[in-house]
Amino acid sequence: MSATIPDREATDLALGLAVRAPSVHNTQPWRWRSADSGVQLFADTGRQLIVTDPSLRSLVVSCGAVLHHMRAALAALGWASTVDYCPDPHDPDHLATIQTTRRPPTDADIELAAAILLRRTDRRHYLPKPIPARYLRSLAAQVSARGAAVRQVPDTLLPRLAVPMQHAVAAHATDRLYQEEIARWSGRDRFTDGVPSRNAPAARPAGEIPVRTFADPALLDPANQPDAAKWLVVGTTRDDRRAQLRAGEATSALLLTATELGLATSVQTEPLGVPDARQEIRTGLLHDCAYPQSMVRVGWSSRGSAPLADTPRRPIDEILEV
């Protein structure tokens, strides 16, 4: 009888790729359990960002991203998967169970898993080089295939996007607890989680759309012109945990597909943790038809940009229970 559950070696290999998924402040707020019913994903609420993410929304979206990364890794190792979302009504932290069956990997499976190794969060400026329309259609197709929707913000509406982002930055600039939380989760002493100085550029010049600023930024940004990133807003028609998980999966698929296409990406969520700013984005850009769950900057990195270092990751033994 052929196995229907990956053994420990395969699970460790898959998790080694999965944990490279992006997460809010690189908190990696997930736990995994290998059981007879399948590989189970749990929220690690002990790693919640109380000020940045009081509702746990970004934590759940982050878990959705690692869920998609895990499925992509399993597929490349020869395991097709299905997901039972939020399977235990008595345990809200049990977010998903992955059930697997043997299936030879396709070329597309292997290429997607390879993109996991290549993807980096690039917070630097992007070049004013057009992105082919077919690339943007490919990204949108990946999002819609996972039950979410995406809107590219037209250049004419970028000022409308800038307003809630500026509101969030202004609110956080005077919030002592937020500043203390950022200091705990970024800087020069991050070795297993958080955002290290080497991955964080300095704050944007006045007049540009701001992005989140971390402690002790040390990443050189060679761009000598305004940021030419395209902005994509990923949203869902509902705002429950299942929808947030699917948004995380959709965001992961978008990022990996963009990486395959040679594009640079960076997830930006600062205004989505500020209720008024999030509502501004929902109304002003999504016309109250969807709840914004993540925002992605996408574009071309500068030829003068140095390669980005890996961000740190928690050891597998710390997040996996067998």
Side-chain angles (χ1 to χ4, degrees):
M1 180 181 297
S2 62
T4 58
I5 300 173
D7 60 19
R8 178 63 191 269
E9 181 180 6
T11 299
D12 283 359
L13 285 171
L15 272 178
L17 289 175
V19 298
R20 298 174 71 94
S23 58
V24 58
H25 290 19
N26 192 31
T27 48
Q28 305 163 60
W30 44 67
R31 295 181 293 111
W32 293 88
R33 180 182 298 161
S34 182
D36 291 342
S37 58
V39 184
Q40 301 172 342
L41 169 64
F42 295 83
D44 188 345
T45 55
R47 303 178 76 79
Q48 178 189 6
L49 298 166
I50 301 297
V51 183
T52 301
D53 184 31
S55 68
L56 292 171
R57 188 196 58 78
S58 287
L59 184 150
V60 176
V61 172
S62 299
C63 287
V66 80
L67 175 62
H68 177 263
H69 269 52
M70 183 65 165
R71 296 183 70 188
L74 287 169
L77 292 171
W79 295 94
S81 63
T82 58
V83 176
D84 185 9
Y85 295 93
C86 305
D88 186 351
H90 302 294
D91 184 1
D93 291 343
H94 186 181
L95 298 178
T97 296
I98 302 175
Q99 286 131 4
T100 52
T101 55
R102 274 294 191 184
R103 188 198 68 184
T106 65
D107 290 345
D109 292 332
I110 294 170
E111 289 165 4
L112 192 65
I116 294 176
L117 295 170
L118 297 174
R119 187 204 66 83
R120 303 286 188 278
T121 295
D122 192 342
R123 301 177 178 88
R124 298 171 294 191
H125 287 69
Y126 298 160
L127 295 174
K129 175 182 173 182
I131 300 175
R134 68 181 184 278
Y135 284 17
L136 295 171
R137 288 195 296 269
S138 295
L139 301 183
Q142 292 297 323
V143 172
S144 61
R146 286 157 183 86
V150 64
R151 183 180 188 197
Q152 179 194 338
V153 181
D155 290 347
T156 54
L157 292 184
L158 288 177
R160 187 178 295 182
L161 173 65
V163 170
M165 300 193 70
Q166 290 162 350
H167 287 173
V169 169
H172 288 154
T174 57
D175 187 332
R176 178 180 59 82
L177 295 177
Y178 173 86
Q179 294 298 328
E180 290 175 353
E181 190 171 72
I182 278 283
R184 284 196 302 273
W185 284 97
S186 60
R188 300 182 184 280
D189 60 346
R190 306 313 306 179
F191 302 111
T192 61
D193 53 18
V195 180
S197 295
R198 66 179 180 271
N199 293 96
R204 292 298 174 89
E208 290 193 21
I209 296 178
V211 299
R212 199 191 301 272
T213 302
F214 294 94
D216 302 322
L219 177 62
L220 295 179
D221 188 344
N224 56 7
Q225 54 201 355
D227 189 22
K230 297 298 181 185
W231 285 81
L232 307 177
V233 182
V234 176
T236 53
T237 56
R238 298 174 63 89
D239 200 23
D240 55 18
R241 284 204 163 186
R242 181 186 176 102
Q244 292 159 3
L245 276 170
R246 298 306 300 270
E249 289 184 287
T251 301
S252 168
L254 186 162
L255 295 171
L256 295 183
T257 302
T259 300
E260 287 185 283
L261 295 171
L263 294 164
T265 56
S266 173
V267 179
Q268 299 294 325
T269 61
E270 184 168 11
L272 302 184
V274 179
D276 289 346
R278 188 183 185 214
Q279 184 59 45
E280 286 182 80
I281 293 171
R282 170 169 157 76
T283 299
L285 295 173
L286 302 182
H287 309 294
D288 289 320
C289 294
Y291 294 92
Q293 304 292 0
S294 69
M295 299 189 300
V296 180
R297 294 172 58 245
V298 59
W300 302 101
S301 60
S302 170
R303 290 189 180 89
S305 297
L308 289 166
D310 284 345
T311 48
R313 288 297 186 267
R314 300 166 68 190
I316 299 301
D317 288 346
E318 186 177 307
I319 62 171
L320 176 64
E321 175 187 345
V322 179

